Amino acid sequence: MRWSLALAQVVAVLVMWIGGASGVFPINVCPCSKQSLCQPLPAKHQFQVEVVIVDIGGMDWKHYDWSKITTIIALHAVDNELLCHAHEKGVRIVMQDVLLQLYAPKMLRKLWITNLVRSAQRKFLDGINLKINEKVINYRGLPEVFTQIRDTFQRELPGSQISLTLPWTPDCRAFNCSEFAPTAESCDFFIVQSFAIHLQMWHDCFAKANAPYHQVSSGLSAYIRLGVDPQKLVMGVPWFGHDYTCMDFYEPGRCEIPKDPFKGAPCSSQVAKNISYNEIMQELPKSFTGRYWDDNYKSPYYVYKEGSSYHEVWYDDPESLSLKATIMKKLKLRGISAWFGNSLSYSFNPTAAMQTEDMWNSLCPIRRKWRT
């Protein structure tokens, strides 16, 4: 069974590679008004601070604060208008893929990387952001893979940006953590998802903050202690919250949640529903508590009731995000990343517009913008 699956993967990749080599994949015509806008941004095009926005599609990008963005990670197909606009603003657009070939034979890995490069070329993109497959149980060989990815992209697509998305803290019980520092040398930066920190709840089963300040700081510091250059780290922050249904509600901040074992832990934040900041701002006035602040987590939350069920919503807002942005300065990180740019309201409502502006400003609370 295992060999059949492996063979199927090999055949699939070979078909994709051969298709590209034989011209089955069409060479796209530049959709921009100027041919130069379809060229990848050069390697020398760098910023003192990276501000990476993760985009899930649609047309919200038209309302982004482009004075702050340096890179957009497109999780879905890139709109041609977005591509042209981003390049005109000097912003990189990169695609995302899952790193499946960590243990694959070298030839298969080479074909997979070749296909990634060709995909980026066809779409006029500036590089790639990779995520580790959740089934990977050891990072052994990661530096070698990333060296091969970097060398191929830089040869075929000069100026390419290569990044890797990682969990909020390195789990050295499960992975070979000595691989992180040399891997960082082979890519532009790591994007550390400094949220979903309570996927494993070991001591109690209560609703908790999505990105508590002290854990965010300790998680990033753990990568640095492993030898990763802080200038290779971008802190990912959430523009969404967690809506927990309380199994038992005792008081605000004491919402007991159902048990949901995850990786050995008895409870997990996976039981919560993700809710965008835009939705949170609409629902907050309807709550019976209003905005509460937890000084331990340095995060806001509120409680509402739906039928006979109590719900507790933990989220991040300009105050909590501005505090986390100071971690970037304290640890001398490369930058900050927002997940997701589409989570804000881009309506003409004056209140919503002000809330959205405050969220963008929280990415760089001191200077208001990182770009000149």
Side-chain angles (χ1 to χ4, degrees), residues 49-70:
V49 175
E50 285 286 346
V51 179
V52 181
I53 303 299
V54 182
D55 182 89
I56 59 175
M59 305 303 287
D60 287 332
W61 62 266
K62 290 190 173 185
H63 308 284
Y64 288 174
D65 186 343
W66 289 89
S67 71
K68 295 180 173 65
I69 308 170
T70 63

Side-chain angles (χ1 to χ4, degrees), residues 238-263:
W239 278 0
F240 63 91
H242 283 162
D243 182 338
Y244 291 92
T245 301
C246 306
M247 189 171 66
D248 288 300
F249 177 73
Y250 301 100
E251 60 181 349
R254 294 281 293 168
C255 165
E256 189 172 3
I257 61 176
K259 286 183 168 57
D260 181 35
F262 181 75
K263 292 186 177 181

Side-chain angles (χ1 to χ4, degrees), residues 13-89:
V13 174
L14 281 171
V15 167
M16 294 173 71
W17 179 74
I18 293 170
S22 61
V24 173
F25 293 135
I27 298 175
N28 290 346
V29 176
C30 176
C32 305
S33 59
K34 300 176 184 177
Q35 185 67 35
S36 60
L37 296 179
C38 289
Q39 298 299 317
L41 297 176
K44 65 180 180 180
H45 184 80
Q46 296 293 333
F47 299 95
Q48 184 180 0
V49 175
E50 285 286 346
V51 179
V52 181
I53 303 299
V54 182
D55 182 89
I56 59 175
M59 305 303 287
D60 287 332
W61 62 266
K62 290 190 173 185
H63 308 284
Y64 288 174
D65 186 343
W66 289 89
S67 71
K68 295 180 173 65
I69 308 170
T70 63
T71 297
I72 286 184
I73 297 176
L75 298 190
H76 300 295
V78 178
D79 178 81
N80 287 338
E81 194 178 352
L82 167 59
L83 169 79
C84 305
H85 185 79
H87 281 178
E88 189 172 32
K89 293 290 185 179

Side-chain angles (χ1 to χ4, degrees), residues 122 126 240 305 332 352:
R122 289 196 310 274
D126 299 276
F240 63 91
K305 194 173 183 181
K332 300 179 181 178

